[in-house]
Amino acid sequence: MSRIILASASPRRRELLLQIGLQFEVMESACEEKIESSLPEEVVCALSGQKAQDVWERLQDGAAVVIGADTVVAFEGRILGKPKDEAEACSMLRMLSGNTHQVYTGVTICYTVRDHVQSRTFYEKTEVTFYPMSEKEIRDYAATGDPLDKAGAYGIQGRCAAHIKGISGDYNNVVGLPVGRLYQELKECLKDEEGGRL
């Protein structure tokens, strides 16, 4: 079985890969992110590719499979990254309150087939609808610190679950990695290898 490397330090992505039974190592990308688009799907695909490529080049291991990922939240065409402080987290949550937004995760897989480097990139989009949140609910949640390391200032798997009215699409994509789609893509990547399997 190929050595699988996750090019991310995200504990949520690690948990999701463990959940589906993959054995993997973690090597965080140290590349400087370069964004040349304002379209969420293009941004996450580009950034996931940069992360995967950075780790792939540092590894120099043709037997490895490297997975890079990036997640953004978008509301009315505007990308919401990680808030820089509690005040910005509150501002983002006010925008999302009572509305529907989109979560995009881009994934890039770098691998080798017969000594040739290959890469495969895809993205998933999930629609998320919030119940209306009161100002106190927004401030109380922001004060927990939970929003500060999350795109869009919330984690669907934490306390903010109380404010989620519904989703359309892959739940795990909102957490940070569409592992169902990723598993299927990994199988496609490895099927060309002699005896390759997950």
Side-chain angles (χ1 to χ4, degrees):
M1 184 173 73
S2 295
R3 178 186 179 201
I4 296 176
I5 310 292
L6 175 63
S8 170
S10 164
R12 293 168 293 280
R13 293 191 179 118
R14 290 201 299 268
E15 289 167 8
L16 287 168
L17 287 182
L18 288 170
Q19 179 182 311
I20 63 169
L22 283 188
Q23 293 184 335
F24 63 95
E25 303 165 44
V26 173
M27 183 180 291
E28 185 177 4
S29 168
C31 71
E32 181 179 343
E33 298 180 351
K34 298 173 184 172
I35 300 174
E36 299 177 349
S37 173
S38 60
L39 296 176
E41 61 270 34
E42 292 182 1
V43 169
V44 294
C45 286
L47 293 180
S48 72
Q50 292 168 27
K51 293 174 183 179
Q53 189 68 31
D54 173 58
V55 170
W56 175 269
E57 290 173 357
R58 283 160 49 204
L59 268 176
Q60 296 185 335
D61 180 355
V65 174
V66 177
I67 301 168
D70 191 80
T71 301
V72 300
V73 170
F75 177 61
E76 295 182 345
R78 175 184 171 187
I79 294 175
L80 306 180
K82 296 175 183 177
K84 65 178 182 293
D85 54 31
E86 199 172 303
E88 188 173 33
C90 288
S91 177
M92 288 184 183
L93 290 166
R94 289 187 195 103
M95 278 191 279
L96 303 183
S97 172
N99 291 310
T100 298
H101 64 274
Q102 297 74 41
V103 179
Y104 295 82
T105 298
V107 179
T108 296
I109 305 166
C110 289
Y111 60 106
T112 304
V113 176
R114 299 179 185 89
D115 297 325
H116 294 287
V117 179
Q118 307 284 331
S119 69
R120 180 183 293 247
T121 299
F122 65 91
Y123 75 91
E124 287 289 324
K125 179 179 81 168
T126 304
E127 301 265 347
V128 182
T129 302
F130 268 52
Y131 285 108
M133 296 175 71
S134 68
E135 185 63 22
K136 182 178 187 305
E137 287 171 331
I138 289 171
R139 291 185 177 278
D140 285 351
Y141 176 55
T144 67
D146 186 56
L148 297 182
D149 69 337
K150 296 175 178 67
Y154 79 94
I156 195 170
Q157 72 280 17
R159 281 184 57 173
C160 199
H163 308 291
I164 304 299
K165 186 174 183 180
I167 70 168
S168 176
D170 184 351
Y171 170 86
N172 291 321
N173 185 54
V174 185
V175 179
L177 197 62
V179 286
R181 172 82 181 272
L182 172 60
Y183 186 80
Q184 301 306 314
E185 297 283 348
L186 282 170
K187 287 199 298 184
E188 289 296 312
C189 292
L190 297 177
K191 75 178 184 180
D192 290 334
E193 296 183 2
E194 187 174 345
R197 59 184 178 82
L198 288 172

